[in-house]
Amino acid sequence: MSAIVFAIPGDIDAPTGGYGYDRRLLQEWREMGIEARHLALPGSFPFPTAEDLTATEQLLAVTAPDDILLIDGLAYGAFPEPLAARFADRLVALVHHPLALETGLAPGEVSFLRQSEKLALSHARAVVVTSPATRDMLAAAYAVAPGDITIAIPGTDSVPPATRASIGAAVRLLAVGSIIPRKGYDVLVEALAAIRDRQWIMTIAGSPDYAPRTVEYLQDRIARIGLADRISFVGSVDPGSLWRLYDRTDIFVMSSLYEGYGMVLTEALARGLPIVTTLSGAGAEALPDAAALKVPPGDAAALAKALARLIDVPPERRQRADAAWAAAKTLPRWRDTAQIVAGACLDRDGQEVR
């Protein structure tokens, strides 16, 4: 019987949406009795050294010949074609979003990653994506047959609604995500500067470790416009701390320029929070209009207008929160997501996944 070997580069405990998705699959499979294990790949992907590529090939080579190799897209898209071809009969790619769409890459890096990922995907026996938008992109731009693609939307847990208890008169805003260019925090800061006359406090929870220059720029910009006492970066937070942040939030904000899905949106929806978001991925597009105000990515003026609207009109804020809580009851659960991914890995071997 085949087992799933889930190969993931870097630190699986890193507090990002992609790693969170991966961790949850492994947890659910353990509870479901599906044989699966984590295989740690070097952390240099998506720009691996020659030594790390050799190490990766050796790690994959010592797996059992009937194991299914599920490769996280952060590594898979950077696989040289000969490496992907060697294990083609066992490879399943998990693509959160194409590597070439990461903000801040040099033109040469974009071209390299796009070509590398296209060639590697041509050798996958199956491809799992986290959104319909990513499926459509892989079919249109990466020559992946739609029939080879399985969509496994991120799941949620059944949780109580946030209390949405403001401390004092200020409306509490929350954004969650690593401090990297793609998250659009520079746009968010400009939007907040435009509504500085309103009473609000902004908390941004996310790792500052991936893009130090972005962090430095944001901190300098916030200081220069006089908002350092109202915009707080709290860094990476553990699940309990994140729970408490959601619980005391009045409005959830996502300012991303692009997301393969945007798991934090479903987390906020599951807590019954009103949302202001950019239309930057499938998660935003799937949000009920009654629960969220949606604006174009990169448009600080539109983001400021949407935030001001919900800050200024508490009854609308409560109405959208109620709509979010109603929609939360229809969200997929993590067990459903794990079952879909396991099926994409194992069904072709005649194994029934339950």
Side-chain angles (χ1 to χ4, degrees), residues 189-266:
V189 168
E190 299 308 317
L192 292 171
I195 58 169
R196 63 195 310 150
D197 57 321
R198 271 78 171 184
Q199 291 188 309
W200 52 262
I201 296 174
M202 178 84 235
T203 300
I204 299 174
S207 173
D209 298 334
Y210 299 107
R213 289 183 181 178
T214 297
V215 175
E216 182 179 357
Y217 168 81
L218 290 171
Q219 291 175 336
D220 179 68
R221 178 60 179 158
I222 290 167
R224 283 190 289 113
I225 60 178
L227 293 177
D229 60 337
R230 299 177 67 185
I231 302 176
S232 300
F233 292 93
V234 297
S236 301
V237 295
D238 58 51
S241 297
L242 182 58
W243 176 280
R244 289 187 289 274
L245 285 174
Y246 277 124
D247 212 35
R248 63 186 185 184
T249 293
D250 297 299
I251 303 171
F252 186 82
V253 188
M254 191 175 83
S255 56
S256 292
L257 304 178
Y258 175 79
E259 292 285 346
Y261 188 79
M263 282 174 51
V264 293
L265 291 176
T266 53

Side-chain angles (χ1 to χ4, degrees), residues 279-350:
L279 278 167
S280 53
E285 293 171 1
L287 287 175
D289 290 339
L293 293 177
K294 306 172 186 180
V295 302
D299 190 334
L303 186 59
K305 183 178 179 180
L307 287 169
R309 176 174 163 180
L310 290 192
I311 291 170
D312 292 346
V313 187
E316 180 178 355
R317 203 160 67 231
R318 288 191 294 270
Q319 184 180 23
R320 291 187 180 276
D322 291 341
W325 180 241
K329 300 173 185 177
T330 68
L331 292 172
R333 300 306 181 198
W334 277 111
R335 180 61 53 90
D336 303 322
T337 304
Q339 188 166 6
I340 291 169
V341 179
C345 294
L346 301 175
D347 281 352
R348 294 189 183 188
D349 289 341

Side-chain angles (χ1 to χ4, degrees), residues 7 22 29 39 48 59 68 125 143 160 229 249 257 273 282:
D22 295 351
W29 289 336
L39 177 64
L59 288 167
I68 302 302
R125 72 180 218 162
D229 60 337
T249 293
L257 304 178
L273 289 173

